[in-house]
Structures are given as structure tokens and as C-alpha cells.
Amino acid sequence: MKIVGIAACTAGIAHTYIAKEKLIKAAHARGHEIAIETQGLAGTQDHLSEKSIKEADIVVIAADIKVNGRERFKGKKVVDVPTGLVVKSPSKLIEKFEEIQVQA
């Protein structure tokens, strides 16, 4: 499965990067491809390419704030979750994505 997404928290620092790292590790551990963009005080980093978005099976928005660029995901299955959930249970979240993908 190919996953893309955005991580963003209110301060744009700790939870943003922790959520990104946990999502990447959990996805890779289960054999999935993943690319996560971050948004926050440092601006946008690791901007998602049009190609990666087009090829994605699912989009995760791990955010506690409004994120920019949601329109890029029109027509995709988008899952919104708080960063705290990603930090606490990244593997369970990836398992949920697998269930969603099987149902699609």
C-alpha cells in the first residue's frame, strides 16, 4: 500500500516530527511505502509530489491544527487523526489503513 500524508501540531515542533517518524516506522515495518509532509513553525518540509499523491492508496492527516493544501487530495480516501493518536498507536493506525484498503 502507498500512503501519503501531512503531520502538523500546534507548535509545529515535537509532535509533528514524532508523528512523522512513528508513521514511517510503522508503515515500513508492515511493508508499505509512505511519504509524510510536515507543516509548522519551520514551514512546510518534505513537500509531497503530485506523483506520490496520485499513486497513493490512502492519505493520513495527523494534525492538531488546520493544514494547508488539503485540496491536493481530492478524490482520495483521507483519514484525519490527532498527532497524539499517531504517537501512541502508530501500528494500530496502519492496521486500520489496511482494513480500509481491503474494503475499498
Side-chain angles (χ1 to χ4, degrees):
M1 177 170 48
K2 292 185 179 184
I3 305 164
V4 296
I6 298 173
C9 69
T10 52
I13 305 171
H15 277 94
T16 299
Y17 297 105
I18 294 169
K20 176 183 177 176
E21 189 63 30
K22 292 208 176 228
L23 278 170
I24 290 171
K25 284 184 179 180
H28 287 167
R30 297 186 66 86
H32 303 299
E33 293 181 37
I34 187 167
I36 301 292
E37 172 179 303
T38 59
Q39 294 182 11
L41 292 177
T44 300
Q45 297 177 331
D46 301 318
H47 188 76
L48 296 170
S49 70
E50 286 183 36
K51 181 178 187 278
S52 64
I53 293 169
K54 182 179 180 184
E55 294 176 351
D57 298 303
I58 197 161
V59 177
V60 59
I61 306 293
D64 305 319
I65 59 171
K66 184 178 182 231
V67 296
N68 297 317
R70 287 183 73 101
E71 67 280 353
R72 298 177 286 171
F73 309 122
K74 185 177 180 181
K76 295 288 181 182
K77 175 64 182 165
V78 178
V79 178
D80 288 277
V81 294
T83 58
L85 178 76
V86 175
V87 170
K88 290 177 186 167
S89 302
S91 294
K92 287 194 184 290
L93 185 61
I94 298 298
E95 287 174 24
K96 185 60 106 175
F97 294 166
E98 292 168 348
E99 290 173 19
I100 291 168
Q101 186 61 24
V102 168
Q103 294 170 2

